Amino acid sequence: LDKDQILIKGIKLKNLITKCLSSNGKLLIFGNGGSAADAQHFSTELTVRLKKNRKALAAMSLSTDTSAITAIGNDFNFNSIFKRQLEAISNKNDLIIPISTSGNSKNILEAAKYAYKRKNKVFGILGNKGGKVKKYCSESFIVSSNNPSRIQEIHIIFWQTVCEIVE
């Protein structure tokens, strides 16, 4: 655990968040499994609060709409569940935040590619040296491990730190 790296990358993400929100953009966060739970938790800390009462921030998790996820998975394919949502609701000022312990999940990769091609800022919260998703990120915080449990623990410390810095 490199505390300096968490702080340095945390400040970079805070700056991207500030720029996004000041341009009327929103944060679109997503992941699979435990990373889906992190996406939901991260976006909730921003829209509600971490410690301070403040203005609500425009953040949402694409991992929580079960109707959209199951319809997209059924009518198209599972690899499109996040990309399709980005097609529907994202705009050029949005900040796209994929969370992945492997960096290789096809549905995360498809969404990151889509956002990258649209010239959105993409900040990856990744493990496993960043995997294939790293290539499509403007910036990233990478936990260089292939142990999903340890990666998720560090990811939580990272985005909680980001929420504190933002507040």
Side-chain angles (χ1 to χ4, degrees), residues 25 36-37 43 47 50 62 70 73 77 108 110 113 122 131 140 161 163 166:
S43 66
T47 57
L50 182 67
L62 302 183
T70 57
N77 60 60
I108 303 290
E110 289 303 311
K113 281 182 186 178
V122 179
S140 52
T161 300
C163 290
V166 166

Side-chain angles (χ1 to χ4, degrees), residues 19 48 51 71 73 81 107 110 118 128 136-137 143:
K19 184 175 181 181
V48 181
K51 295 179 180 179
I81 63 171
N107 57 1
E110 289 303 311
R118 287 192 58 209
N128 192 34
Y136 300 99
C137 296
V143 178

Side-chain angles (χ1 to χ4, degrees), residues 86-139:
L86 290 178
E87 289 172 353
I89 64 172
S90 69
N91 68 52
K92 66 178 178 160
N93 294 325
D94 293 341
L95 176 59
I96 311 305
I97 305 176
I99 304 175
S100 174
T101 59
S102 73
N104 292 317
S105 301
K106 289 181 182 176
N107 57 1
I108 303 290
L109 185 59
E110 289 303 311
K113 281 182 186 178
Y114 174 80
Y116 178 83
K117 286 178 186 171
R118 287 192 58 209
K119 299 188 180 355
N120 284 101
K121 293 289 183 193
V122 179
F123 190 103
I125 302 176
L126 308 167
N128 192 34
K129 299 179 183 172
K132 295 175 184 174
V133 173
K134 178 184 174 184
K135 176 180 175 182
Y136 300 99
C137 296
S138 327
E139 284 281 344

Side-chain angles (χ1 to χ4, degrees), residues 3-65:
K3 293 177 186 174
D4 289 338
Q5 194 65 6
I6 288 173
L7 192 56
I8 291 166
K9 291 290 186 167
I11 291 169
K12 284 185 178 187
L13 180 51
K14 176 260 183 199
N15 291 339
L16 288 172
I17 289 170
T18 301
K19 184 175 181 181
C20 167
L21 297 175
S22 67
S23 302
N24 291 319
K26 59 193 166 298
L27 312 177
L28 299 172
I29 311 168
F30 51 93
N32 294 306
S35 297
D38 285 350
Q40 181 178 3
H41 192 172
F42 186 13
S43 66
T44 299
E45 298 288 25
L46 295 168
T47 57
V48 181
R49 71 178 188 155
L50 182 67
K51 295 179 180 179
K52 297 179 181 179
N53 288 330
R54 54 154 169 81
K55 180 182 173 190
L57 304 177
M60 66 183 292
S61 169
L62 302 183
S63 305
T64 56
D65 187 341

